Amino acid sequence: MEEFAALSGISRPTVSKYFHDPESVRSSTRARIEEALEKFDYRPNIYAVNQNRKLTKNIGIVVPYLADPFFAEMARYLEQSCIAAGYRPSLFSSHGEQKLENEILDSLRSLKPAGVLFAPLGRASDRAHIEKFCAEVPTVLFDSNLEGLGAAFIGSDNFSFVSQTVEYMTRTGEPPSFFEMRTPANPNANKRRKAYIEVMERLGFEPHVIKIDGEGWAFEEIGHQGALRVLEKGALRTNSVLCSNDRLAIGFLAACYEQGIRVGRTEECSFRVASNDDHPFAKFTCPSLTTAAHDYDNVAGCSVDTLFELIESGGKFDDRTETLFPARLVLRESA
Amino acid sequence: MEEFAALSGISRPTVSKYFHDPESVRSSTRARIEEALEKFDYRPNIYAVNQNRKLTKNIGIVVPYLADPFFAEMARYLEQSCIAAGYRPSLFSSHGEQKLENEILDSLRSLKPAGVLFAPLGRASDRAHIEKFCAEVPTVLFDSNLEGLGAAFIGSDNFSFVSQTVEYMTRTGEPPSFFEMRTPANPNANKRRKAYIEVMERLGFEPHVIKIDGEGWAFEEIGHQGALRVLEKGALRTNSVLCSNDRLAIGFLAACYEQGIRVGRTEECSFRVASNDDHPFAKFTCPSLTTAAHDYDNVAGCSVDTLFELIESGGKFDDRTETLFPARLVLRESA
DNA sequence: ATTAAAACTTAACGCGCGTAAAGTTATTAT
DNA sequence: ATAATAACTTTACGCGCGTTAAGTTTTAAT
């Protein structure tokens, strides 16, 4: 930068000021710097820049499992929103591992981020570690709520998801069984089960929860295996199933197809499957998946907006807010 | 660090040495540092650490589109390999945009990475920009080859993919048409088309390439729309189709299902669909997708190994090598 | 015990930049 | 033209650490 300043004929502090905010220098100075910039194409080192600044433009984005298309899509949206707002996002995936999640948070401190958008692992998260992190770095939680942690939480209203799908299925056919993993990684899954039971009881039906075994993040495979077992045992009480999430449903549909069971809402079908999330590929399952869609835009948009507010208000909110967006029922062919 | 050194009773340079390599200090010193470490839990700032070091442990990983499960899976493997080797990976997605790809490379310089694993956009890449970057930073290209750029290229042998699928399909049924995007983003697509034509001619069949319209990375949707049009027009010469990649095939299968066309290799099916890639979800399509699988492990493993060699040999190879791994034909139900 | 080597400490500089203070020049207002 | 700002330059220090050189202590070898 010293060199570049000399070449442009401007002092280094002024050049530094220019890079912080081009509008903060006189237009004639700006012109000279930009002229030199074209000739020598210098760029400040973004990591050194943040070394001695209280407020950086860095934002950390942490998701639990990036190979899950839901989080990949979410991350894409969040990154682009941050860039549009003039921030520099850095994306991290915990790959489903607590150890990695902790390490990511630790190394995130070095980035001195202005704020962090954080979707925790959930059940596998190290609460104490995260609590400590949130106390030091302005953090907005999304997707998966850890009670009391972070300055705010933005997510989807699981009750809205399940009540819409259950009500739709019972209104247009038989009440569904609920298909889920025995030990779900994500707290949303628990809320969905509770919502299912509550809605079923309110409607005067007996809830029927099917819990399948399986660990990790290979939900399609777990759903597939689980569905084969359920179909084989004839463990279903009615002809309709509500899956806890779309990835399980993808596995369920594959199992039905293999078994020659026609799934759908038309007359020639013997079976109906619905789900929750509106996974990016839910439109392309066979049959296409009826599902309660996350309000992607609003959840992502509200998350970044909340973080920006948090940053502007000095990293602290008076009280922790929880914002939940309702689902939008997407009727396709499977139910 | 100054503080921490004082607290541990060891001089700062020695503490610094410890963090660089714990084995490089006497065991008694190491014990004292680690004791203090537990009491005060200090961590060096990873970005400041790299400031004044010629050789960092940072590795950049850049993929063209992270919301594509293929790249998500690849990135996961690469990240974990780097971590296992004691490096610190940073992951970036170009989100399909040249501008972003360029910016990522620019900001990657600030990281002073020991090396970069780079899957370029392909057709949309800014060759000159990448060339300049590769001249400064040790870079290994993977997945998508840009002739002459980077110290090495590791990818899959597209000819092996297509020859296996075409030969299998012709051997067990009718020769396939080839289904692809008119203007594919990725150079692999062009190689696959050429391979298809060559193999078909060698087998004595007339190649038949179906090009569908569409831009961007929403391949399922593009494949879906394209398939509907093709099926409507009856533009197929035989009852079998080879899709350029699995994501197009997922769209194709969805279209077939909607049209009531039974796809598969059994007798009651009127149609066969095969593809290339072995996308993580290819096992869960309906019917499950017969496809030529990338050798994920070897491509990813060889990419990191090559990069480590490159780093150890000072960032330069005598000549640029291109390593291609053959496909493994995965027979499932669709063909 | 003597000695050489290994490991350490102190001191100082460097990385690439932010930032504050004091002094100088340019611009705007009157 | 003059004064009051605004913007700039120079100087200097700080961030959090790597790294080197010179001197001191510890350890291992004879």
Side-chain angles (χ1 to χ4, degrees), chain B residues 55 113-116 130-140 148-153 305-321:
Chain B
L55 284 169
V116 172
I130 294 173
E131 191 160 7
K132 202 173 161 200
F133 178 81
C134 291
E136 297 172 26
V137 182
T139 304
V140 168
L149 262 44
F153 170 74
D305 288 347
T306 306
L307 185 62
F308 294 159
E309 275 179 44
L310 179 63
I311 292 169
E312 279 165 22
S313 53
K316 296 280 174 206
F317 280 150
D318 292 339
D319 12 65
R320 182 179 188 276
T321 59

Side-chain angles (χ1 to χ4, degrees), chain B residues 10-14 26 29 51-52:
Chain B
I10 307 286
S11 72
R12 194 179 64 78
T14 305
R26 210 167 4 202
T29 334
Q51 192 102 23
N52 195 20

Side-chain angles (χ1 to χ4, degrees), chain A residues 61-322:
Chain A
I61 301 174
V62 186
V63 297
Y65 201 85
L66 203 42
D68 183 325
F70 169 75
F71 288 111
E73 195 62 23
M74 202 71 168
R76 191 170 68 90
Y77 193 98
L78 294 174
E79 273 201 287
Q80 290 178 330
S81 300
C82 290
I83 291 171
Y87 285 86
R88 288 190 30 82
S90 294
L91 178 60
F92 301 87
S93 166
S94 307
H95 296 311
E97 292 172 27
Q98 183 191 79
K99 194 182 156 210
L100 198 50
E101 182 171 272
N102 284 347
E103 278 173 14
I104 288 168
L105 295 184
D106 286 337
S107 71
L108 218 40
R109 286 200 184 84
S110 302
L111 242 190
K112 297 194 182 178
V116 172
L117 292 162
F118 180 28
L121 289 171
R123 189 167 53 87
S125 285
D126 179 348
R127 209 178 188 289
H129 200 102
I130 294 173
E131 190 160 8
K132 202 171 161 201
F133 178 81
C134 291
E136 296 173 25
V137 183
T139 303
V140 167
L141 258 53
F142 70 97
D143 180 66
S144 178
N145 196 7
L146 298 179
E147 302 291 337
L149 261 46
F153 170 74
I154 289 92
S156 292
D157 178 1
N158 289 294
F159 189 87
S160 153
F161 278 71
V162 176
S163 66
Q164 288 189 62
T165 41
V166 171
E167 278 169 15
Y168 166 73
M169 291 185 95
T170 54
R171 191 171 66 237
T172 57
E174 301 181 14
S177 298
F178 190 75
F179 183 81
E180 68 164 358
M181 285 169 68
R182 186 175 307 282
T183 50
N186 193 296
N188 293 327
N190 296 323
K191 293 190 179 142
R192 287 176 186 178
R193 185 194 328 102
K194 282 182 195 160
Y196 164 76
I197 292 170
E198 183 179 333
V199 174
M200 285 288 278
E201 286 175 348
R202 205 173 60 194
L203 294 171
F205 299 111
E206 193 186 341
H208 181 222
V209 176
I210 302 165
K211 291 174 178 292
I212 58 172
D213 293 320
E215 283 292 325
W217 287 76
F219 298 163
E220 292 83 8
E221 182 63 35
I222 291 168
H224 182 233
Q225 295 295 336
L228 286 178
R229 210 156 300 153
V230 166
L231 294 171
E232 189 186 329
K233 283 199 297 185
L236 295 162
R237 300 203 183 149
T238 64
N239 72 356
S240 65
V241 167
L242 175 61
C243 295
S244 180
N245 66 64
D246 282 359
R247 295 185 61 194
L248 286 176
I250 288 172
F252 201 105
L253 289 178
C256 289
Y257 188 91
E258 283 171 27
Q259 299 295 310
I261 299 169
R262 264 188 80 74
V263 174
R265 53 173 158 168
T266 54
E267 285 181 5
E268 69 267 25
C269 297
S270 54
F271 212 79
R272 300 195 307 156
V273 174
S275 180
N276 301 288
D277 280 344
D278 197 28
H279 186 292
F281 302 158
K283 191 179 166 189
F284 305 102
T285 56
C286 299
S288 57
L289 192 58
T290 288
T291 185
H294 284 276
D295 191 342
Y296 277 83
D297 284 4
N298 267 323
V299 171
C302 178
S303 298
V304 298
D305 287 347
T306 305
L307 185 63
F308 294 159
E309 274 177 45
L310 179 63
I311 292 169
E312 278 165 23
S313 54
K316 297 278 174 210
F317 280 151
D318 291 338
D319 7 66
R320 182 178 188 275
T321 59
E322 296 191 1

Side-chain angles (χ1 to χ4, degrees), chain B residues 94-269:
Chain B
S94 307
H95 297 313
E97 292 172 27
Q98 184 191 77
K99 194 183 156 208
L100 199 49
E101 182 170 271
N102 285 347
E103 279 172 14
I104 287 168
L105 295 183
D106 286 337
S107 70
L108 219 39
R109 285 199 185 84
S110 302
L111 242 191
K112 297 194 181 176
V116 172
L117 293 161
F118 180 30
L121 289 172
R123 190 166 53 85
S125 285
D126 179 347
R127 211 180 187 286
H129 200 101
I130 294 173
E131 191 160 7
K132 202 173 161 200
F133 178 81
C134 291
E136 297 172 26
V137 182
T139 304
V140 168
L141 259 53
F142 70 96
D143 180 66
S144 177
N145 197 4
L146 298 179
E147 303 289 339
L149 262 44
F153 170 74
I154 289 92
S156 292
D157 179 2
N158 289 294
F159 189 88
S160 153
F161 277 70
V162 176
S163 66
Q164 288 189 64
T165 41
V166 171
E167 278 168 14
Y168 166 73
M169 291 185 95
T170 55
R171 191 170 68 239
T172 57
E174 300 181 14
S177 297
F178 190 76
F179 183 82
E180 68 164 359
M181 284 169 70
R182 187 177 305 283
T183 50
N186 192 295
N188 293 328
N190 296 320
K191 291 186 181 147
R192 288 176 186 179
R193 186 196 325 104
K194 283 182 192 159
Y196 163 76
I197 292 170
E198 185 180 332
V199 173
M200 285 288 278
E201 285 174 348
R202 205 173 61 194
L203 293 172
F205 299 111
E206 193 186 339
H208 181 222
V209 176
I210 301 166
K211 291 175 180 292
I212 58 170
D213 293 319
E215 283 292 326
W217 287 77
F219 297 164
E220 292 83 7
E221 181 62 35
I222 291 167
H224 183 233
Q225 294 294 336
L228 286 178
R229 211 157 298 152
V230 166
L231 294 171
E232 189 186 329
K233 283 200 300 187
L236 295 162
R237 298 201 184 152
T238 65
N239 71 357
S240 65
V241 168
L242 175 61
C243 296
S244 180
N245 66 64
D246 282 359
R247 293 186 61 195
L248 287 176
I250 287 172
F252 201 104
L253 289 178
C256 289
Y257 188 90
E258 284 172 27
Q259 298 295 309
I261 299 169
R262 264 189 80 74
V263 175
R265 52 174 158 169
T266 54
E267 286 182 4
E268 70 267 24
C269 297

